[in-house]
């Protein structure tokens, strides 16, 4: 089975790939092909990151390297190069992690008083308590600045409070 067929098969049968659109796979493949100018079937780590980010993601080098280590157990192959299926799997792992972080954030929002559909709000006093309990480095005035006139923090602003505290 050639590489392209294997990738289409991966798209059709792997449940994790359902979080990546077929358009993203094709765009990723196109970007990969443009970087693989020697037709070796591999690109270096920097190019791999550029390929993923060229289709609309904003993954930093450190996060990309951490994903690679988590996926293959080390930062690159012996030659320092990455093939297309590995890049696709890294994108899937990234999207799965992002999805899981979003679900955890919604769960936290609901536990603090918001609604499961991300409506409603969390009272500033409740959010202050959470920030203090977890020892987060955030000035309480910053929390008040995110609140609406009723003293509630929307899901979007709740997410802003915790966006820098996510676990890789």
């Amino acid at each position: 089975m050639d590489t392209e067929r294997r990738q289409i098969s991966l798209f059709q049968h792997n449940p994790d790939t359902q979080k990546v659109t077929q358009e993203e796979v094709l765009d990723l493949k196109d970007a990969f092909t443009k970087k693989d100018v020697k037709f070796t079937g591999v690109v270096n780590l920097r190019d791999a990151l550029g390929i993923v980010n060229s289709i609309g993601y904003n993954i930093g080098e450190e996060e990309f390297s951490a994903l690679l280590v988590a996926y293959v157990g080390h930062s690159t192959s012996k030659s320092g190069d990455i093939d297309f299926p590995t890049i696709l799997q890294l994108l899937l792992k990234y999207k799965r992690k992002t999805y899981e972080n979003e679900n955890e954030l919604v769960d936290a929002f609901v536990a603090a008083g918001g609604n499961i559909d991300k409506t409603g709000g969390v009272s500033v006093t409740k959010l202050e308590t959470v920030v203090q309990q977890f020892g987060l480095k955030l000035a309480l005035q910053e929390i008040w600045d995110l609140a609406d006139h009723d003293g509630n923090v929307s899901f979007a602003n709740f997410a802003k409070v915790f966006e820098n505290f996510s676990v890789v």
Side-chain angles (χ1 to χ4, degrees):
M1 178 184 293
D2 69 11
T3 304
E4 194 164 334
R5 282 192 188 143
R6 186 174 72 211
Q7 289 148 10
I8 290 171
S9 173
L10 179 73
F11 180 82
Q12 292 171 342
H13 300 294
N14 185 336
D16 290 335
T17 56
Q18 292 178 14
K19 295 178 187 164
V20 175
T21 67
Q22 190 165 8
E23 182 180 347
E24 285 177 314
V25 173
L26 295 173
D27 289 347
L28 195 66
K29 180 64 175 171
D30 184 52
F32 180 87
T33 302
K34 288 176 183 172
K35 289 289 184 182
D36 183 20
V37 294
K38 295 180 182 177
F39 305 105
T40 59
V42 294
V43 295
N44 66 40
L45 180 62
R46 187 175 307 272
D47 284 343
L49 176 59
I51 289 165
V52 171
N53 286 339
S54 75
I55 66 165
Y57 292 90
N58 187 22
I59 304 173
E61 254 184 74
E62 194 174 300
E63 185 175 17
F64 192 73
S65 292
L67 285 168
L68 189 56
V69 168
Y71 177 65
V72 295
H74 49 82
S75 62
T76 59
S77 68
K78 290 178 185 175
S79 67
D81 295 327
I82 303 170
D83 63 8
F84 180 77
T86 301
I87 294 172
L88 180 58
Q89 288 298 324
L90 291 174
L91 179 58
L92 297 171
K93 188 168 191 64
Y94 173 78
K95 288 189 83 166
R96 187 177 333 123
K97 181 183 73 79
T98 302
Y99 177 78
E100 289 168 359
N101 288 348
E102 170 88 4
N103 283 342
E104 289 173 5
L105 195 55
V106 171
D107 289 346
F109 182 70
V110 171
N115 299 325
I116 191 82
D117 65 355
K118 303 179 196 174
T119 61
V122 174
S123 74
V124 171
T125 53
K126 178 70 172 178
L127 192 52
E128 284 176 336
T129 302
V130 170
V131 167
Q132 290 171 343
Q133 285 176 339
F134 287 98
L136 302 177
K137 304 286 187 230
L138 186 69
L140 299 179
Q141 184 58 47
E142 290 179 62
I143 297 171
W144 281 100
D145 291 344
L146 296 172
D148 63 18
H149 64 280
D150 292 328
N152 290 313
V153 177
S154 68
F155 179 79
N157 286 338
F158 183 86
K160 286 178 188 175
V161 170
F162 294 99
E163 69 186 2
N164 295 321
F165 301 104
S166 62
V167 179
V168 175

